[in-house]
Amino acid sequence: MLVCRTISEIRGFVRQARARSQTIGFVPTMGYFHEGHLTLMREAKKACDVVVVSIFVNPLQFGPQEDFNEYPRDFERDKRLAAEVGVDALFTPPVEEMYPAGFSTHVEVAGLTQCLCGLSRPGHFRGVTTVVAKLFNIVLPDRAYFGQKDAQQALVIKRMVRDLNMPLEIVTVPTVREPDGLAMSSRNVYLGPREREAARVLYRSLKLAERAVAGGEMDVARLLEIVRQEIASEPLAQIDYAEIRSLPDLEPLARLQGPGLLALAVRIGKTRLIDNTILNPGNSGGAGDAFNYV
Ligand code: AMP
């Protein structure tokens, strides 16, 4: 596995692959790999000749009070895991390589970014779309892989790709979970033992909503009441947002008529966790494994 720290090195690798007519799969990450990341890489490996993974903790997508400095990093472990999965090249640029002095161009998707995480984390999606647009221009992938875990992010990236005619396909992969349902996340390491236990409330509340939909409940206010009550039963949990919105436009909904995204952001102590599910009246409450809506 090739490890590149500069844009010119990874471009050289990509150029050679293209010269051999190989297709390129790309998985952008912030590192500190877990099974969610590795699943994206395996999916890329299945569908593409060559897989490139980036590890870049992107300062642009963190707010001034957020955890950019504390964000967990373990490059040696990441390198070993990526090699085991069969990744062909890792791109790990330093911040100055991506944002040299004088950097002043940003990519911003309107509308979709003005709700959910876009409200709680001002500037976050502008940072995400800017870095992902840069990475797409550097890696020139045929397909890029994103997790449903960050459903709003996947929708925003898809919109950017469509609006700017970027010549690649975005593939979304269902959320990979711990055995007790907690969505895997690099930030789960922040949780102490009691907090880790409390964090199960996110998945429990998603499941309660799915069950209510399966039982015929279509009223969004009532569904959200079920979710909020469940989260309120956990003393360490504080809701940042709990909303049900339309797909793929993330418009507010009063009633579920087709698939809707139930999205949660919950603080467990100091750690902010997100999770979501697709509520689908036509599919016994949940969307199942097929994630065709995001
Ligand atoms: P991150 O390193 O957290 O920026 O995540 C990199 C990619 O992995 C993003 O596309 C995430 O949506 C995806 N991802 C993170 N956690 C999971 C998970 N538990 N299941 C599936 N994909 C995930």
Side-chain angles (χ1 to χ4, degrees), residues 114 133 224:
Q114 264 114 58
L224 289 177

Side-chain angles (χ1 to χ4, degrees), residues 14-251:
V14 166
R15 202 176 305 120
Q16 286 175 5
R18 292 219 162 270
R20 292 192 290 266
S21 303
Q22 290 176 308
T23 56
I24 297 170
F26 177 46
V27 183
T29 81
M30 298 204 298
Y32 209 71
F33 293 156
H34 50 66
E35 209 39 51
H37 297 116
L38 302 181
T39 302
L40 299 188
M41 296 175 207
R42 288 191 198 102
E43 288 301 313
K45 194 78 198 158
K46 273 192 237 163
C48 310
D49 298 323
V50 162
V51 174
V52 176
V53 173
S54 63
I55 300 179
F56 182 61
V57 185
N58 173 31
L60 225 55
Q61 71 190 67
F62 287 78
Q65 312 301 336
E66 292 183 356
D67 57 344
F68 175 72
N69 287 318
E70 293 76 40
Y71 197 83
R73 296 159 166 94
D74 187 346
F75 179 63
E76 288 307 317
R77 178 172 173 274
D78 286 351
K79 197 162 83 176
R80 179 169 51 76
L81 292 172
E84 278 171 19
V85 172
V87 168
D88 297 280
L90 261 189
F91 177 47
T92 63
V95 171
E96 319 79 72
E97 181 75 3
M98 293 298 278
Y99 303 118
F103 182 85
S104 50
T105 304
H106 295 85
V107 178
E108 192 155 6
V109 173
L112 277 182
T113 60
Q114 264 114 58
C115 62
L116 307 177
C117 283
L119 286 186
S120 352
R121 305 185 68 188
H124 169 68
F125 285 117
R126 180 180 193 250
V128 169
T129 42
T130 299
V131 81
V132 170
K134 281 174 67 72
L135 290 167
F136 286 174
N137 282 335
I138 293 165
V139 176
L140 304 175
D142 297 280
R143 296 189 192 86
Y145 292 76
F146 291 85
Q148 182 194 337
K149 161 77 184 350
D150 301 279
Q152 187 179 16
Q153 169 174 279
L155 291 166
V156 167
I157 300 283
K158 281 191 174 177
R159 187 64 57 92
M160 171 184 81
V161 163
R162 193 188 80 182
D163 287 352
L164 298 183
N165 308 96
M166 295 178 169
L168 78 160
E169 181 192 347
I170 302 300
V171 182
T172 47
V173 176
T175 303
V176 179
R177 298 178 178 282
E178 300 287 354
D180 67 357
L182 178 67
M184 290 196 182
S185 163
S186 306
R187 289 189 169 98
N188 291 349
V189 293
Y190 297 151
L191 301 168
R194 175 66 193 95
E195 291 173 334
R196 172 64 186 79
E197 178 69 23
R200 301 169 68 175
V201 76
L202 280 86
Y203 185 64
R204 275 207 312 275
S205 65
L206 296 178
K207 284 286 147 191
L208 280 179
E210 284 178 8
R211 243 171 273 144
V213 171
E217 183 61 83
M218 299 295 150
D219 185 83
V220 162
R222 281 206 290 270
L223 288 166
L224 289 177
E225 194 43 42
I226 293 170
V227 168
R228 293 207 173 99
Q229 251 183 32
E230 180 62 21
I231 296 172
S233 74
E234 174 44 69
L236 292 185
Q238 256 217 316
I239 296 180
D240 176 356
Y241 63 72
E243 293 193 43
I244 296 172
R245 288 182 169 258
S246 71
L247 286 167
D249 294 330
L250 300 181
E251 301 284 358

